[in-house]
Amino acid sequence: MTSMDADAQLEALTRGTVDVHVAEDLLARLKTGRPLKVKAGFDPTRPDLHLGHTVLMQKMRQFQQLGHEVIFVVGDFTARIGDPTGKSQTRSVPTEEESEEGARTYAEQAFKVLDRDKTRLVFNSEWLSPMGFADVIRLAGRYRLARMMERDDFKKRWAEHASISIHELLYPLVQAYDSVALECDIELGGTDQLFNLLVGREIMREYGQKPQCVMTTPILEGLGAKLEEGKIVGDKMSKSLDNYVGITEAPRDQLFKLMSITDDVMWRYYELLSEEPASAIAKMKSECEAGQMNPRDAKLRLAREIVG
């Protein structure tokens, strides 16, 4: 374990996060001095990872560097259900072959960011596939429909009389059961995953386990994002929108794409993707604003770090 005390760890780990449930509990666990089990799940619905995925992985690596156990959950089983988060209609479900191919490439690409020797890589089909129908009924009986319908996407679709399939209601419960199977201390996810992560806390409590702490990271905007009225606006980074930087793209292509972002958005990318200390980033930004540093040089420095 690191020699950094619990308070310093908490400060470092919560940098750049949006939600922390619950900081007091997380601090108490850090004070025990034992390595914590830190889980994040990735459904292999597409074969390649991009920089948007690495925002979460950077936080995972930070936990690794502090001596904690990071568990990379490949959702090869949950991908066949389909995460309804943010969807305005029932999504198509990938075939088993597509899920297997995505799982293979995700596992390979994850180690461009994470330390292979310090990462526990698991596939959630390991504990979900053996579950029988009776097991699923018992799991479903541990959560209330009224609570499930509180999530924004379901509420909106219900109000608009749009389709909601029963299997979509099961997704948060199945994701939560991953935490039960792994007995997690912490689950990480993007801000759009907050509902699912909090369901995990409740389901763990139902199974007699201490509820996991929850931390969310921001969603990275894509290459076309701009600053408008002091706020960055733009679609999230996505392969389907072709506004992404793939982590397996050629270095020259990554560099070219990163140099295309606006100077204002560059600081957002620094905040979410760079390992530079916050003080160093603030100093660079101040120097650029004062005309003491060319923003292009700062952007090139960021691009080289990411490509590296």
Side-chain angles (χ1 to χ4, degrees), residues 94-133:
T95 65
E96 188 169 345
E97 291 74 20
E98 290 172 336
S99 293
E100 288 177 354
E101 173 61 15
R104 183 186 63 79
T105 55
Y106 266 38
E108 291 173 356
Q109 294 172 22
F111 297 124
K112 284 185 170 288
V113 180
L114 301 175
D115 186 327
R116 184 185 297 269
D117 297 329
K118 296 180 181 178
T119 304
R120 180 180 168 193
L121 181 69
V122 297
F123 296 80
N124 63 7
S125 59
E126 177 185 336
W127 52 84
L128 293 175
S129 291
M131 293 180 72
F133 193 67

Side-chain angles (χ1 to χ4, degrees), residues 151-212:
R151 61 180 286 168
D152 292 339
D153 38 18
F154 286 159
K155 189 188 302 182
K156 182 178 179 182
R157 285 160 65 180
W158 180 261
E160 295 174 351
H161 304 288
S163 172
I164 303 174
S165 297
I166 296 296
H167 77 278
E168 295 182 276
L169 304 179
L170 293 176
Y171 187 95
L173 302 180
V174 176
Q175 179 176 331
Y177 193 77
D178 289 349
S179 295
V180 173
L182 295 166
E183 298 182 341
C184 295
D185 288 294
I186 304 166
E187 183 170 14
L188 306 176
T191 52
D192 57 346
Q193 286 290 310
L194 181 60
F195 182 91
N196 291 353
L197 306 187
L198 293 177
V199 172
R201 283 177 55 83
E202 294 193 40
I203 295 299
M204 291 181 78
R205 190 180 289 113
E206 285 285 327
Y207 278 87
Q209 296 182 6
K210 187 174 181 178
Q212 63 188 8

Side-chain angles (χ1 to χ4, degrees), residues 37-79:
K37 288 185 177 181
V38 183
K39 161 206 169 192
F42 299 84
D43 283 1
T45 52
R46 291 182 179 272
D48 295 303
L49 298 176
H50 55 63
L51 289 184
H53 297 112
T54 69
V55 174
L56 186 58
M57 291 184 188
Q58 296 275 28
K59 186 59 62 178
M60 295 167 72
R61 183 165 68 180
Q62 198 173 12
F63 273 99
Q64 286 184 328
Q65 291 168 339
L66 292 173
H68 300 289
E69 179 186 2
V70 164
I71 308 172
F72 187 104
V73 181
V74 178
D76 59 329
F77 188 96
T78 42

Side-chain angles (χ1 to χ4, degrees), residues 237-255:
M237 185 170 286
S238 167
K239 290 198 71 176
S240 61
L241 296 175
D242 197 26
N243 64 354
Y244 71 100
V245 179
I247 67 173
T248 58
E249 287 188 85
R252 183 179 296 274
D253 294 337
Q254 291 189 42
L255 188 71

